[in-house]
Amino acid sequence: MRKGAETRERILEIAEASVLAKGFGATSIEEVIAEAGITKSGFFYHFKDKNELARALMLRYVEENDRIFDDVFHRGRQLSDDPLQSFLITLKLLAELMGDLPNGHPGCLIATFTYQERLFDRTVRDIASDAVRSWNGRFRDALNEIAAVYPARKGMDLDDVAIMFSCVVDGGIIMSRGLGDPRVLERQILAFRSVVKMLFAPAASDIMLPSAPTAIAAE
Amino acid sequence: MRKGAETRERILEIAEASVLAKGFGATSIEEVIAEAGITKSGFFYHFKDKNELARALMLRYVEENDRIFDDVFHRGRQLSDDPLQSFLITLKLLAELMGDLPNGHPGCLIATFTYQERLFDRTVRDIASDAVRSWNGRFRDALNEIAAVYPARKGMDLDDVAIMFSCVVDGGIIMSRGLGDPRVLERQILAFRSVVKMLFAPAASDIMLPSAPTAIAAE
DNA sequence: AATTTACTGTACCGGCGGTACGGTTTTCAC
DNA sequence: GTGAAAACCGTACCGCCGGTACAGTAAATT
């Protein structure tokens, strides 16, 4: 009972690392069970086939990411009452989180799965797309809160800006790997942060209007 | 001689589609040859193993993309003498290109390969990373040219902005697929374009300085 | 006509995903 | 402590796939 959950977790951990390094199709069950120190029968006791492994991996990844976002948005709100400042803090925390990973970001499961979508059934894809939608929603909500206080510069749709964060992260992971420089991801998140700052900075045309509330934290 | 090149090309086309849909590890040679209407012997006549197929796919992809960038940067320069305007035109052309693809962008081979890097030898990875570096270089050069005329706003490193384009494209492709909306990619490129505009737009602090040359094209 | 190119056909190996099923040990509830 | 459920192990097997080997052949090129 208890031990079963442990083994299951170990399988998932090993499988995730392999999937992120070689792709799902190239991840062999035999390899996973060898590393986990169990037999094939043991594996199929926990997952009835490879697709169920995929679903479990995706669920685990989504829940983990949800927790991270919960935490980092919460801390952002704790450190400032101003929506812009707290969002900037959140972004900085996210950048630090990514930068502190010793070997770079291990990879985004969503990205690997969307690039191998023909391998999975609908349920797996639905979990992924629902998660992406919810994460984008968090960022859009944060941007909307800011826009209620600070007038945004024209020319950019806030929905697109929200999605841009996800793009920058997924793209940043790919670039970090492709260029062999783990710091690219952190820098890209900080670049996105600068975009948010620019977006809500008073434009030239606004110079004579009463200035917005002064910044508290986040340099 | 002539016919051999045709067959080779057909194999590459079929393999690329499969790799982008299922990943390289899950792309079976048997499937490819079945669709191409040749035998396994015929396949191994053209590629001595799967890794050589990967290398050929990567080379083909890189060359194709180089041509596209050549074309789109050239047209941008043709349509305006101003470096900012011509870059904005180039970005708009790229966005249109991506938006006109009927079934959305088929996928970025660089992205699939970096997420399956353990499957390939160094030569393949080197081709990919050299290509990414050269593409980022194009964008950084364009930004430097602009910065020589228009003062950039502080807070963003131009190298990071250049890399951001690649991130937005690769991330945009993933988001387009994940959300099931092919237009996301186009919108993300246009959002990046807006970032460039903001970056070089006169800031509030510059309002009293003589204004920069007026825009010619690219709304 | 000779040679090279571009394949086909056949046979084979080992690894892998997956199934089936019977047996065994560990854990927990009572 | 015992019984039942949980958590595995062992073995045997199937078909697909990557890859090798090698002999043969039709078509294009020289």
Side-chain angles (χ1 to χ4, degrees):
Chain A
M1 286 187 162
R2 176 74 202 292
K3 201 191 168 203
E6 264 175 39
T7 304
R8 200 185 134 97
E9 187 64 20
R10 206 165 70 247
I11 293 173
L12 287 174
E13 198 131 343
I14 293 165
E16 182 174 305
S18 176
V19 166
L20 291 172
K22 306 194 301 185
F24 188 79
T27 293
S28 81
I29 294 177
E30 311 238 353
E31 206 182 62
V32 171
I33 63 177
E35 202 177 327
I38 57 169
T39 63
K40 202 185 269 198
S41 311
F43 175 87
F44 283 107
Y45 171 77
H46 289 286
F47 308 97
K48 76 166 207 274
D49 56 23
K50 226 186 166 191
N51 193 79
E52 205 169 290
L53 173 66
R55 191 188 298 116
L57 282 173
M58 188 49 97
L59 272 172
R60 200 178 89 113
Y61 182 79
V62 166
E63 282 165 13
E64 164 85 21
N65 255 38
D66 270 334
R67 270 196 299 276
I68 292 172
F69 280 129
D70 279 343
D71 178 48
V72 92
F73 271 99
H74 178 69
R75 284 167 64 192
R77 266 186 240 100
Q78 270 186 329
L79 291 168
S80 174
D81 286 337
D82 179 73
L84 177 57
Q85 290 309 314
S86 70
F87 187 54
L88 292 176
I89 293 168
T90 295
L91 288 175
K92 188 132 202 170
L93 290 172
L94 279 168
E96 275 173 18
L97 226 60
M98 306 294 183
D100 287 346
L101 296 168
N103 299 319
H105 195 289
C108 172
L109 257 194
I110 307 278
T112 55
F113 277 45
T114 57
Y115 264 110
Q116 295 164 47
E117 52 185 8
R118 289 265 169 278
L119 296 178
F120 315 108
D121 62 25
R122 267 214 111 173
T123 70
V124 179
R125 278 178 274 168
D126 286 347
I127 294 168
S129 80
D130 287 350
V132 170
R133 251 175 268 272
S134 113
W135 295 335
N136 286 340
R138 281 176 192 257
F139 283 82
R140 194 201 49 223
D141 291 347
L143 290 169
N144 283 343
E145 275 181 51
I146 299 169
V149 181
Y150 300 85
R153 291 178 136 215
K154 309 220 186 288
M156 288 191 86
D157 185 273
L158 289 189
D159 281 329
D160 289 339
V161 178
I163 295 175
M164 197 180 213
F165 174 79
S166 300
C167 291
V168 160
V169 170
D170 271 342
I173 292 170
I174 292 168
M175 287 298 127
S176 286
R177 286 197 184 193
L179 298 172
D181 177 7
R183 298 193 125 200
V184 169
L185 175 57
E186 183 183 4
R187 295 175 66 88
Q188 283 301 310
I189 295 176
L190 291 176
F192 175 78
R193 185 174 175 273
S194 296
V195 169
V196 173
K197 274 170 94 169
M198 274 202 302
L199 189 61
F200 293 106
S205 54
D206 299 333
I207 193 99
M208 286 307 165
L209 298 175
S211 63
T214 1
I216 302 173
E219 40 144 346
Chain B
M1 283 191 160
R2 176 73 202 292
K3 200 189 166 201
E6 263 176 40
T7 304
R8 201 185 134 97
E9 187 64 21
R10 206 166 69 246
I11 293 172
L12 287 174
E13 198 131 345
I14 293 166
E16 182 174 306
S18 177
V19 167
L20 291 173
K22 307 195 300 186
F24 188 78
T27 293
S28 80
I29 295 177
E30 310 237 352
E31 208 182 61
V32 172
I33 62 177
E35 202 177 328
I38 56 169
T39 64
K40 201 186 271 196
S41 312
F43 175 88
F44 284 107
Y45 171 77
H46 288 286
F47 309 97
K48 76 166 208 272
D49 56 23
K50 225 185 165 190
N51 194 78
E52 205 169 288
L53 173 67
R55 192 188 296 114
L57 282 173
M58 188 50 97
L59 273 173
R60 200 178 89 112
Y61 183 78
V62 166
E63 282 165 14
E64 164 85 20
N65 254 37
D66 270 334
R67 269 196 300 276
I68 292 173
F69 280 130
D70 279 343
D71 177 47
V72 92
F73 271 101
H74 178 69
R75 285 168 63 191
R77 266 188 240 97
Q78 269 185 329
L79 290 169
S80 174
D81 286 336
D82 179 71
L84 176 56
Q85 289 310 314
S86 69
F87 187 54
L88 292 177
I89 293 168
T90 294
L91 288 175
K92 189 130 201 172
L93 289 172
L94 279 167
E96 275 172 19
L97 227 61
M98 307 293 182
D100 287 346
L101 296 168
N103 300 320
H105 195 290
C108 172
L109 257 194
I110 308 277
T112 56
F113 277 46
T114 57
Y115 263 110
Q116 294 165 48
E117 52 186 5
R118 289 266 169 279
L119 297 178
F120 315 108
D121 63 25
R122 266 213 110 174
T123 69
V124 179
R125 277 178 275 166
D126 287 346
I127 295 169
S129 81
D130 288 350
V132 170
R133 252 176 268 273
S134 113
W135 295 334
N136 286 340
R138 282 177 191 256
F139 283 83
R140 194 201 49 225
D141 292 347
L143 290 168
N144 284 343
E145 276 181 51
I146 299 169
V149 181
Y150 299 84
R153 293 180 136 213
K154 310 221 187 288
M156 288 190 85
D157 185 273
L158 288 190
D159 281 330
D160 289 339
V161 178
I163 296 175
M164 198 179 213
F165 175 79
S166 300
C167 292
V168 160
V169 170
D170 271 343
I173 292 170
I174 292 168
M175 287 298 127
S176 285
R177 285 196 184 195
L179 298 172
D181 176 7
R183 299 193 123 198
V184 169
L185 175 57
E186 184 184 3
R187 294 175 67 88
Q188 284 300 310
I189 295 175
L190 291 176
F192 175 79
R193 185 172 174 273
S194 295
V195 169
V196 174
K197 274 170 94 170
M198 274 201 302
L199 189 61
F200 293 106
S205 53
D206 300 332
I207 193 89
M208 287 309 164
L209 299 176
S211 63
T214 3
I216 301 172
E219 39 146 351

